[in-house]
Amino acid sequence: MKFNKHLANLQCYEAGKPIELVVSKFGIEANEVIKLASNENPFGTSPVVKLALAEMMDKLHLYPDDSYFQLKDTLAANFEVGTKNIIIGAGSDQIIEFCIHAKANKKNAILTAGTTFAMYEIYAKHVGANVIKTKSPTHDLSEFKKLYKQNAHKISVIFLCVPNNPLGDCLDAREVYNFISEVGKNTLVVIDAAYNDYAKFKDPKKGIDPRYICKNFKNAIYLGTFSKSYGLGGMRIGYGIAKRSIINELGKLRAPFNITNLSLKAATMALFDKEFVKAGIQNNFEQMLRYEEFAKTHGIEFLPSYTNFIVFKFDKQNASQIANKLLQQGIILRDMKSYGLNALRITIGTPEQNDKVFEKLDEILK
Ligand SMILES: *Cc1c(COP(=O)(O)O)cnc(C)c1O
C-alpha cells in the first residue's frame, strides 16, 4: 500500500525505556528499577491528587464535561488570564500538534533550535512541512533572527523551548519577549515552557509569564504541562495560553472529550498543592549540584541545566554502552544517540536514586 510520501523519511519518536522492559528482560523487581529517562517527577504524584482520584471511581462511565471549566477556571486564576485564553490538550504534545496542523503545510516551514524536542519535527513532517534548524544546537536568537529574515515568507511556526529539552539551555524571558515582537504577525511563536518552573526557580530572569504573552502578543502561545513538576506524566495533560484569536482556531482541531475525567481532576487538584511542586523543584537543584560534582571528579563534560535533567557528554567512553550496562542493573537513563550525541540525559532523581546512579556509574567508568 502507498502511504503519504512525507512519512517515508520519518522516524518514530524514541521514548525513554519503560520499567516493564527491565523487569521482563533482566528479572529485576519493578520497585527496584530506577527510571531517570523521561524527566518524570521522582517523588511521584501529590497525595492531594491521589485522594481526589479515588473519589472519581463512580464517574468512569461518564464522558468528561467537555468545557473543562473546572480546570480552566483554576488555571485562569493561577495565571491571571481569562478562561477563553486557555486550551487543554492530552499532554502539551497535543497542543504542539494543533499548532502545526493549524499553521504548517507542504508549502511552508517551521524553525527550531539545532537540538531540541523531537516532536516539533515529527508533527511538521506529518503535514509535509519543511524543518529549518539553527546550526547552533542550543537557542541562539541571533541565528533564529537571521534564518527568519532569510525565510520569513515561508516560516509558519517558530518553536522556542524555554528551557530546552534535551540540552537544558534556557533563554531569558526578556530575550524571548523581544524576539516575539520582531517576528511578523503571520508567524506563530510557540513558547514551549514544559520546564519553565524549574528555570524560574534557579533564575527568576528565566521565568516566562503566560499572562504577559497573552496580553501583548497576537502571534505567540505559551505551552505548559502537568507531566514534569506536577508529577502527572501518566495522566497526559497540558495546556496552551494565548489570545482568543489563536485559541479559537486551535480549538477547531480538538476532538471532543480529548481529556479523561481522571486527568482533568488530577490536573485541577495538582494546582492546589503548590508545596509538593516546590519541594520537588528544590530537591532537583540540590541534587543537580551532586551530578555536577560527580561530572567534575570523573572528567565528564556537562551542560549547565535549567531543567530536571542533566546531560553528561562522553569523550572516549561510549554512552550507549554505559546506558546498556546501567540498564542491566535496573537503572534507565536516556541514551542521546538519536540526537547524534555521545551523551546521556539523566533525570535528577531522589537522593537515594542518585546515590545508586553514582555508585553504578562510578563502577562502570573505572
Ligand atoms: C515533556 C515535554 C513536553 C510535554 O509533554 P506532555 O507530557 O505531552 O505534556 C513538551 N515539551 C517538552 C520540551 C517536553 O520535554
Side-chain angles (χ1 to χ4, degrees):
M1 188 185 302
K2 282 191 182 148
F3 290 96
N4 285 337
K5 237 181 24 216
H6 47 259
L7 293 182
N9 301 322
L10 184 55
Q11 303 285 331
C12 287
Y13 181 80
E14 195 194 316
K17 294 193 166 55
I19 290 174
E20 291 77 2
L21 175 113
V22 180
V23 172
S24 66
K25 214 167 155 191
F26 304 115
I28 298 168
E29 298 270 346
N31 56 9
E32 296 278 304
V33 177
I34 294 177
K35 183 175 188 248
L36 298 174
S38 299
N39 305 336
E40 292 141 327
N41 188 327
F43 294 101
T45 302
S46 153
V48 175
V49 172
K50 290 184 192 171
L51 266 178
L53 288 190
E55 288 166 20
M56 294 297 291
M57 291 305 121
D58 58 355
K59 301 237 172 82
L60 298 185
H61 61 296
L62 298 172
Y63 279 115
D65 156 33
D66 191 56
S67 75
Y68 305 153
F69 82 90
Q70 277 183 327
L71 176 58
K72 284 188 184 175
D73 278 353
T74 314
L75 280 167
N78 208 63
F79 293 120
E80 299 177 23
V81 297
T83 52
K84 294 209 162 85
N85 299 118
I86 300 172
I87 184 165
I88 309 295
S92 59
D93 250 2
Q94 192 175 39
I95 304 170
I96 295 170
E97 184 179 14
F98 294 160
C99 291
I100 298 245
H101 281 241
K103 288 288 293 175
N105 59 50
K106 278 197 291 244
K107 295 198 182 106
N108 63 38
I110 68 161
L111 173 61
T112 76
T115 301
T116 191
F117 193 45
M119 292 314 299
Y120 311 147
E121 178 163 2
I122 291 176
Y123 288 127
K125 288 189 171 164
H126 286 180
V127 297
N130 271 309
V131 180
I132 301 174
K133 296 181 187 179
T134 61
K135 279 212 186 67
S136 167
T138 56
H139 287 71
D140 173 350
L141 284 181
S142 61
E143 209 188 332
F144 268 86
K145 280 179 208 167
K146 202 178 85 197
L147 286 170
Y148 181 66
K149 281 213 181 94
Q150 284 166 2
N151 303 282
H153 58 287
K154 66 170 191 188
I155 290 179
S156 54
V157 190
I158 300 176
F159 286 93
L160 298 180
C161 195
V162 194
N164 188 19
N165 179 11
L167 296 181
D169 57 294
C170 191
L171 295 164
D172 285 357
R174 191 44 59 191
E175 298 177 285
V176 170
Y177 302 152
N178 288 342
F179 177 78
I180 299 171
S181 65
E182 289 176 33
V183 168
K185 65 178 195 312
N186 198 26
T187 301
L188 179 62
V189 184
V190 178
I191 311 301
D192 185 343
Y195 306 91
N196 200 257
D197 45 0
Y198 292 93
K200 187 178 173 183
F201 180 92
K202 182 169 177 177
D203 180 352
K205 285 201 303 292
K206 308 290 183 190
I208 308 271
D209 180 3
R211 177 165 186 259
Y212 187 88
I213 302 255
C214 187
K215 258 184 86 174
N216 292 287
F217 303 114
K218 291 197 178 88
N219 62 342
I221 182 166
Y222 174 100
L223 304 188
T225 178
F226 289 95
S227 297
K228 312 288 161 52
S229 59
Y230 287 93
L232 291 173
M235 286 278 108
R236 312 303 308 120
I237 186 157
Y239 55 91
I241 298 179
K243 286 222 184 281
R244 283 164 70 165
S245 51
I246 294 175
I247 296 298
N248 288 346
E249 284 301 302
L250 299 184
K252 296 176 185 174
L253 295 162
R254 185 182 71 80
F257 315 126
N258 62 325
I259 308 299
T260 71
N261 277 335
L262 291 181
S263 306
L264 288 165
K265 186 57 146 191
T268 306
M269 295 315 291
L271 285 167
F272 288 101
D273 194 353
K274 299 253 189 304
E275 274 312 306
F276 173 83
V277 175
K278 196 172 153 210
I281 296 177
Q282 212 146 8
N283 168 79
N284 181 68
F285 287 110
E286 284 163 16
Q287 295 295 311
M288 180 93 73
L289 292 175
R290 297 181 66 203
Y291 277 92
E292 293 177 357
E293 255 331 287
F294 183 92
K296 281 178 199 156
T297 54
H298 288 76
I300 300 165
E301 189 187 339
F302 66 91
L303 304 169
S305 170
Y306 289 88
T307 63
N308 64 350
F309 58 81
I310 188 165
V311 172
F312 278 8
K313 281 169 119 179
F314 293 90
D315 184 19
K316 298 206 174 61
Q317 281 119 339
N318 179 314
S320 304
Q321 276 173 10
I322 298 173
N324 260 325
K325 283 184 191 163
L326 286 169
L327 195 64
Q328 289 167 26
Q329 303 183 70
I331 297 176
I332 317 175
L333 305 184
R334 185 72 146 83
D335 179 8
M336 295 182 77
K337 201 171 158 190
S338 63
Y339 292 98
L341 291 173
N342 182 31
L344 296 176
R345 191 192 66 193
I346 310 170
T347 306
I348 309 297
T350 63
E352 299 74 27
Q353 290 176 325
N354 301 329
D355 288 344
K356 258 295 193 359
V357 173
F358 296 140
E359 183 195 321
K360 299 292 176 197
L361 198 50
D362 185 63
E363 280 171 21
I364 291 171
L365 294 174
K366 264 187 184 138

PDB file of all heavy atoms in Angstrom, residues 42-57 230-232 235 262 265-267 269-270 273 276:
ATOM      1  N   PRO A  42      10.439  12.377  40.311  1.00  0.00           N
ATOM      2  CA  PRO A  42      10.857  11.173  41.037  1.00  0.00           C
ATOM      3  C   PRO A  42      10.078  10.965  42.334  1.00  0.00           C
ATOM      4  O   PRO A  42      10.116   9.876  42.905  1.00  0.00           O
ATOM      5  CB  PRO A  42      12.345  11.430  41.316  1.00  0.00           C
ATOM      6  CG  PRO A  42      12.484  12.910  41.316  1.00  0.00           C
ATOM      7  CD  PRO A  42      11.486  13.416  40.306  1.00  0.00           C
ATOM      8  N   PHE A  43       9.394  11.990  42.805  1.00  0.00           N
ATOM      9  CA  PHE A  43       8.609  11.848  44.035  1.00  0.00           C
ATOM     10  C   PHE A  43       7.169  11.422  43.754  1.00  0.00           C
ATOM     11  O   PHE A  43       6.345  11.380  44.666  1.00  0.00           O
ATOM     12  CB  PHE A  43       8.631  13.148  44.838  1.00  0.00           C
ATOM     13  CG  PHE A  43      10.008  13.482  45.350  1.00  0.00           C
ATOM     14  CD1 PHE A  43      10.786  14.424  44.710  1.00  0.00           C
ATOM     15  CD2 PHE A  43      10.532  12.806  46.438  1.00  0.00           C
ATOM     16  CE1 PHE A  43      12.065  14.710  45.149  1.00  0.00           C
ATOM     17  CE2 PHE A  43      11.815  13.077  46.887  1.00  0.00           C
ATOM     18  CZ  PHE A  43      12.591  14.037  46.242  1.00  0.00           C
ATOM     19  N   GLY A  44       6.878  11.129  42.494  1.00  0.00           N
ATOM     20  CA  GLY A  44       5.543  10.645  42.168  1.00  0.00           C
ATOM     21  C   GLY A  44       4.540  11.771  42.049  1.00  0.00           C
ATOM     22  O   GLY A  44       4.827  12.814  41.447  1.00  0.00           O
ATOM     23  N   THR A  45       3.385  11.565  42.648  1.00  0.00           N
ATOM     24  CA  THR A  45       2.257  12.477  42.489  1.00  0.00           C
ATOM     25  C   THR A  45       1.815  12.967  43.868  1.00  0.00           C
ATOM     26  O   THR A  45       1.894  12.221  44.842  1.00  0.00           O
ATOM     27  CB  THR A  45       1.094  11.722  41.807  1.00  0.00           C
ATOM     28  OG1 THR A  45       1.561  11.215  40.560  1.00  0.00           O
ATOM     29  CG2 THR A  45      -0.097  12.620  41.568  1.00  0.00           C
ATOM     30  N   SER A  46       1.317  14.181  43.935  1.00  0.00           N
ATOM     31  CA  SER A  46       0.847  14.749  45.204  1.00  0.00           C
ATOM     32  C   SER A  46      -0.240  13.870  45.843  1.00  0.00           C
ATOM     33  O   SER A  46      -1.153  13.398  45.157  1.00  0.00           O
ATOM     34  CB  SER A  46       0.274  16.146  44.949  1.00  0.00           C
ATOM     35  OG  SER A  46      -0.690  16.461  45.918  1.00  0.00           O
ATOM     36  N   PRO A  47      -0.185  13.662  47.166  1.00  0.00           N
ATOM     37  CA  PRO A  47      -1.242  12.891  47.846  1.00  0.00           C
ATOM     38  C   PRO A  47      -2.613  13.547  47.708  1.00  0.00           C
ATOM     39  O   PRO A  47      -3.634  12.854  47.718  1.00  0.00           O
ATOM     40  CB  PRO A  47      -0.782  12.864  49.310  1.00  0.00           C
ATOM     41  CG  PRO A  47       0.357  13.826  49.422  1.00  0.00           C
ATOM     42  CD  PRO A  47       0.915  14.054  48.054  1.00  0.00           C
ATOM     43  N   VAL A  48      -2.633  14.846  47.549  1.00  0.00           N
ATOM     44  CA  VAL A  48      -3.910  15.554  47.347  1.00  0.00           C
ATOM     45  C   VAL A  48      -4.596  15.036  46.081  1.00  0.00           C
ATOM     46  O   VAL A  48      -5.816  14.804  46.042  1.00  0.00           O
ATOM     47  CB  VAL A  48      -3.648  17.085  47.211  1.00  0.00           C
ATOM     48  CG1 VAL A  48      -4.918  17.840  46.876  1.00  0.00           C
ATOM     49  CG2 VAL A  48      -3.003  17.638  48.479  1.00  0.00           C
ATOM     50  N   VAL A  49      -3.797  14.838  45.042  1.00  0.00           N
ATOM     51  CA  VAL A  49      -4.325  14.336  43.770  1.00  0.00           C
ATOM     52  C   VAL A  49      -4.819  12.901  43.926  1.00  0.00           C
ATOM     53  O   VAL A  49      -5.918  12.551  43.482  1.00  0.00           O
ATOM     54  CB  VAL A  49      -3.239  14.403  42.668  1.00  0.00           C
ATOM     55  CG1 VAL A  49      -3.704  13.717  41.393  1.00  0.00           C
ATOM     56  CG2 VAL A  49      -2.851  15.851  42.396  1.00  0.00           C
ATOM     57  N   LYS A  50      -4.015  12.085  44.590  1.00  0.00           N
ATOM     58  CA  LYS A  50      -4.383  10.668  44.727  1.00  0.00           C
ATOM     59  C   LYS A  50      -5.722  10.515  45.455  1.00  0.00           C
ATOM     60  O   LYS A  50      -6.568   9.720  45.059  1.00  0.00           O
ATOM     61  CB  LYS A  50      -3.291   9.914  45.493  1.00  0.00           C
ATOM     62  CG  LYS A  50      -2.013   9.772  44.685  1.00  0.00           C
ATOM     63  CD  LYS A  50      -1.007   8.939  45.464  1.00  0.00           C
ATOM     64  CE  LYS A  50       0.362   9.014  44.821  1.00  0.00           C
ATOM     65  NZ  LYS A  50       1.397   8.392  45.658  1.00  0.00           N
ATOM     66  N   LEU A  51      -5.916  11.285  46.516  1.00  0.00           N
ATOM     67  CA  LEU A  51      -7.167  11.220  47.262  1.00  0.00           C
ATOM     68  C   LEU A  51      -8.347  11.612  46.385  1.00  0.00           C
ATOM     69  O   LEU A  51      -9.385  10.958  46.376  1.00  0.00           O
ATOM     70  CB  LEU A  51      -7.101  12.188  48.453  1.00  0.00           C
ATOM     71  CG  LEU A  51      -6.638  11.596  49.774  1.00  0.00           C
ATOM     72  CD1 LEU A  51      -6.581  12.694  50.828  1.00  0.00           C
ATOM     73  CD2 LEU A  51      -7.601  10.485  50.204  1.00  0.00           C
ATOM     74  N   ALA A  52      -8.157  12.682  45.618  1.00  0.00           N
ATOM     75  CA  ALA A  52      -9.249  13.169  44.774  1.00  0.00           C
ATOM     76  C   ALA A  52      -9.601  12.136  43.700  1.00  0.00           C
ATOM     77  O   ALA A  52     -10.774  11.985  43.342  1.00  0.00           O
ATOM     78  CB  ALA A  52      -8.857  14.499  44.131  1.00  0.00           C
ATOM     79  N   LEU A  53      -8.599  11.427  43.191  1.00  0.00           N
ATOM     80  CA  LEU A  53      -8.871  10.454  42.133  1.00  0.00           C
ATOM     81  C   LEU A  53      -9.677   9.271  42.659  1.00  0.00           C
ATOM     82  O   LEU A  53     -10.493   8.707  41.937  1.00  0.00           O
ATOM     83  CB  LEU A  53      -7.569   9.960  41.505  1.00  0.00           C
ATOM     84  CG  LEU A  53      -6.844  10.974  40.611  1.00  0.00           C
ATOM     85  CD1 LEU A  53      -5.707  10.299  39.866  1.00  0.00           C
ATOM     86  CD2 LEU A  53      -7.795  11.641  39.626  1.00  0.00           C
ATOM     87  N   ALA A  54      -9.453   8.925  43.920  1.00  0.00           N
ATOM     88  CA  ALA A  54     -10.216   7.811  44.493  1.00  0.00           C
ATOM     89  C   ALA A  54     -11.713   8.102  44.425  1.00  0.00           C
ATOM     90  O   ALA A  54     -12.528   7.203  44.222  1.00  0.00           O
ATOM     91  CB  ALA A  54      -9.773   7.570  45.933  1.00  0.00           C
ATOM     92  N   GLU A  55     -12.064   9.367  44.544  1.00  0.00           N
ATOM     93  CA  GLU A  55     -13.484   9.746  44.509  1.00  0.00           C
ATOM     94  C   GLU A  55     -14.073   9.738  43.101  1.00  0.00           C
ATOM     95  O   GLU A  55     -15.272   9.911  42.914  1.00  0.00           O
ATOM     96  CB  GLU A  55     -13.666  11.149  45.105  1.00  0.00           C
ATOM     97  CG  GLU A  55     -13.473  11.162  46.606  1.00  0.00           C
ATOM     98  CD  GLU A  55     -13.311  12.583  47.137  1.00  0.00           C
ATOM     99  OE1 GLU A  55     -13.724  13.536  46.444  1.00  0.00           O
ATOM    100  OE2 GLU A  55     -12.771  12.717  48.244  1.00  0.00           O
ATOM    101  N   MET A  56     -13.221   9.555  42.109  1.00  0.00           N
ATOM    102  CA  MET A  56     -13.698   9.596  40.717  1.00  0.00           C
ATOM    103  C   MET A  56     -14.189   8.233  40.230  1.00  0.00           C
ATOM    104  O   MET A  56     -14.694   8.122  39.118  1.00  0.00           O
ATOM    105  CB  MET A  56     -12.571  10.053  39.782  1.00  0.00           C
ATOM    106  CG  MET A  56     -12.124  11.478  39.981  1.00  0.00           C
ATOM    107  SD  MET A  56     -13.436  12.647  39.621  1.00  0.00           S
ATOM    108  CE  MET A  56     -13.583  12.451  37.845  1.00  0.00           C
ATOM    109  N   MET A  57     -14.025   7.205  41.050  1.00  0.00           N
ATOM    110  CA  MET A  57     -14.272   5.846  40.564  1.00  0.00           C
ATOM    111  C   MET A  57     -15.710   5.597  40.121  1.00  0.00           C
ATOM    112  O   MET A  57     -15.961   4.744  39.298  1.00  0.00           O
ATOM    113  CB  MET A  57     -13.850   4.802  41.613  1.00  0.00           C
ATOM    114  CG  MET A  57     -12.345   4.717  41.817  1.00  0.00           C
ATOM    115  SD  MET A  57     -11.449   4.413  40.274  1.00  0.00           S
ATOM    116  CE  MET A  57     -10.363   5.835  40.201  1.00  0.00           C
ATOM    117  N   TYR A 230       4.614  18.657  38.176  1.00  0.00           N
ATOM    118  CA  TYR A 230       3.372  18.260  38.857  1.00  0.00           C
ATOM    119  C   TYR A 230       3.240  16.743  39.009  1.00  0.00           C
ATOM    120  O   TYR A 230       2.302  16.265  39.651  1.00  0.00           O
ATOM    121  CB  TYR A 230       2.149  18.812  38.111  1.00  0.00           C
ATOM    122  CG  TYR A 230       1.986  20.300  38.290  1.00  0.00           C
ATOM    123  CD1 TYR A 230       2.529  21.189  37.359  1.00  0.00           C
ATOM    124  CD2 TYR A 230       1.323  20.821  39.387  1.00  0.00           C
ATOM    125  CE1 TYR A 230       2.417  22.555  37.532  1.00  0.00           C
ATOM    126  CE2 TYR A 230       1.202  22.191  39.570  1.00  0.00           C
ATOM    127  CZ  TYR A 230       1.747  23.051  38.637  1.00  0.00           C
ATOM    128  OH  TYR A 230       1.623  24.404  38.817  1.00  0.00           O
ATOM    129  N   GLY A 231       4.143  16.001  38.378  1.00  0.00           N
ATOM    130  CA  GLY A 231       4.142  14.547  38.572  1.00  0.00           C
ATOM    131  C   GLY A 231       2.958  13.817  37.980  1.00  0.00           C
ATOM    132  O   GLY A 231       2.454  12.862  38.562  1.00  0.00           O
ATOM    133  N   LEU A 232       2.492  14.267  36.797  1.00  0.00           N
ATOM    134  CA  LEU A 232       1.308  13.630  36.201  1.00  0.00           C
ATOM    135  C   LEU A 232       1.560  13.145  34.768  1.00  0.00           C
ATOM    136  O   LEU A 232       0.632  13.155  33.941  1.00  0.00           O
ATOM    137  CB  LEU A 232       0.122  14.606  36.223  1.00  0.00           C
ATOM    138  CG  LEU A 232      -0.460  14.930  37.600  1.00  0.00           C
ATOM    139  CD1 LEU A 232      -1.516  16.034  37.487  1.00  0.00           C
ATOM    140  CD2 LEU A 232      -1.068  13.690  38.230  1.00  0.00           C
ATOM    141  N   MET A 235      -0.951  10.911  33.207  1.00  0.00           N
ATOM    142  CA  MET A 235      -2.306  11.420  33.014  1.00  0.00           C
ATOM    143  C   MET A 235      -2.483  12.113  31.660  1.00  0.00           C
ATOM    144  O   MET A 235      -3.591  12.387  31.243  1.00  0.00           O
ATOM    145  CB  MET A 235      -2.665  12.401  34.142  1.00  0.00           C
ATOM    146  CG  MET A 235      -2.957  11.749  35.467  1.00  0.00           C
ATOM    147  SD  MET A 235      -4.645  11.118  35.561  1.00  0.00           S
ATOM    148  CE  MET A 235      -4.361   9.394  35.470  1.00  0.00           C
ATOM    149  N   LEU A 262     -10.384  11.522  34.726  1.00  0.00           N
ATOM    150  CA  LEU A 262      -9.343  11.380  35.749  1.00  0.00           C
ATOM    151  C   LEU A 262      -8.261  12.435  35.562  1.00  0.00           C
ATOM    152  O   LEU A 262      -7.791  13.036  36.525  1.00  0.00           O
ATOM    153  CB  LEU A 262      -8.705   9.988  35.670  1.00  0.00           C
ATOM    154  CG  LEU A 262      -9.559   8.792  36.079  1.00  0.00           C
ATOM    155  CD1 LEU A 262      -8.748   7.512  35.951  1.00  0.00           C
ATOM    156  CD2 LEU A 262     -10.077   8.954  37.494  1.00  0.00           C
ATOM    157  N   LYS A 265      -9.437  15.915  36.655  1.00  0.00           N
ATOM    158  CA  LYS A 265      -9.483  16.032  38.115  1.00  0.00           C
ATOM    159  C   LYS A 265      -8.062  16.134  38.677  1.00  0.00           C
ATOM    160  O   LYS A 265      -7.769  16.980  39.532  1.00  0.00           O
ATOM    161  CB  LYS A 265     -10.192  14.792  38.687  1.00  0.00           C
ATOM    162  CG  LYS A 265     -10.427  14.847  40.169  1.00  0.00           C
ATOM    163  CD  LYS A 265     -11.233  16.065  40.527  1.00  0.00           C
ATOM    164  CE  LYS A 265     -12.169  15.841  41.675  1.00  0.00           C
ATOM    165  NZ  LYS A 265     -13.123  16.942  41.831  1.00  0.00           N
ATOM    166  N   ALA A 266      -7.192  15.258  38.162  1.00  0.00           N
ATOM    167  CA  ALA A 266      -5.819  15.220  38.668  1.00  0.00           C
ATOM    168  C   ALA A 266      -5.134  16.576  38.469  1.00  0.00           C
ATOM    169  O   ALA A 266      -4.506  17.114  39.388  1.00  0.00           O
ATOM    170  CB  ALA A 266      -5.033  14.120  37.957  1.00  0.00           C
ATOM    171  N   ALA A 267      -5.260  17.131  37.276  1.00  0.00           N
ATOM    172  CA  ALA A 267      -4.587  18.398  36.981  1.00  0.00           C
ATOM    173  C   ALA A 267      -5.155  19.525  37.838  1.00  0.00           C
ATOM    174  O   ALA A 267      -4.418  20.351  38.385  1.00  0.00           O
ATOM    175  CB  ALA A 267      -4.731  18.724  35.489  1.00  0.00           C
ATOM    176  N   MET A 269      -6.614  19.372  40.790  1.00  0.00           N
ATOM    177  CA  MET A 269      -6.183  19.249  42.187  1.00  0.00           C
ATOM    178  C   MET A 269      -4.684  19.529  42.339  1.00  0.00           C
ATOM    179  O   MET A 269      -4.244  20.098  43.342  1.00  0.00           O
ATOM    180  CB  MET A 269      -6.525  17.857  42.733  1.00  0.00           C
ATOM    181  CG  MET A 269      -8.013  17.567  42.817  1.00  0.00           C
ATOM    182  SD  MET A 269      -8.987  18.914  43.515  1.00  0.00           S
ATOM    183  CE  MET A 269      -8.428  18.857  45.208  1.00  0.00           C
ATOM    184  N   ALA A 270      -3.915  19.124  41.336  1.00  0.00           N
ATOM    185  CA  ALA A 270      -2.459  19.329  41.408  1.00  0.00           C
ATOM    186  C   ALA A 270      -2.113  20.809  41.552  1.00  0.00           C
ATOM    187  O   ALA A 270      -1.144  21.175  42.214  1.00  0.00           O
ATOM    188  CB  ALA A 270      -1.784  18.739  40.170  1.00  0.00           C
ATOM    189  N   ASP A 273      -1.786  21.969  45.178  1.00  0.00           N
ATOM    190  CA  ASP A 273      -0.707  21.526  46.074  1.00  0.00           C
ATOM    191  C   ASP A 273       0.630  22.117  45.629  1.00  0.00           C
ATOM    192  O   ASP A 273       1.503  21.431  45.102  1.00  0.00           O
ATOM    193  CB  ASP A 273      -0.645  19.996  46.130  1.00  0.00           C
ATOM    194  CG  ASP A 273       0.230  19.520  47.296  1.00  0.00           C
ATOM    195  OD1 ASP A 273       0.877  20.375  47.953  1.00  0.00           O
ATOM    196  OD2 ASP A 273       0.276  18.302  47.537  1.00  0.00           O
ATOM    197  N   PHE A 276       3.984  20.598  47.174  1.00  0.00           N
ATOM    198  CA  PHE A 276       4.529  19.383  46.560  1.00  0.00           C
ATOM    199  C   PHE A 276       5.437  19.750  45.378  1.00  0.00           C
ATOM    200  O   PHE A 276       6.549  19.237  45.249  1.00  0.00           O
ATOM    201  CB  PHE A 276       3.380  18.481  46.076  1.00  0.00           C
ATOM    202  CG  PHE A 276       3.850  17.296  45.278  1.00  0.00           C
ATOM    203  CD1 PHE A 276       4.296  16.142  45.916  1.00  0.00           C
ATOM    204  CD2 PHE A 276       3.856  17.333  43.885  1.00  0.00           C
ATOM    205  CE1 PHE A 276       4.739  15.043  45.188  1.00  0.00           C
ATOM    206  CE2 PHE A 276       4.299  16.243  43.141  1.00  0.00           C
ATOM    207  CZ  PHE A 276       4.747  15.099  43.795  1.00  0.00           C
TER     208      PHE A 276
END
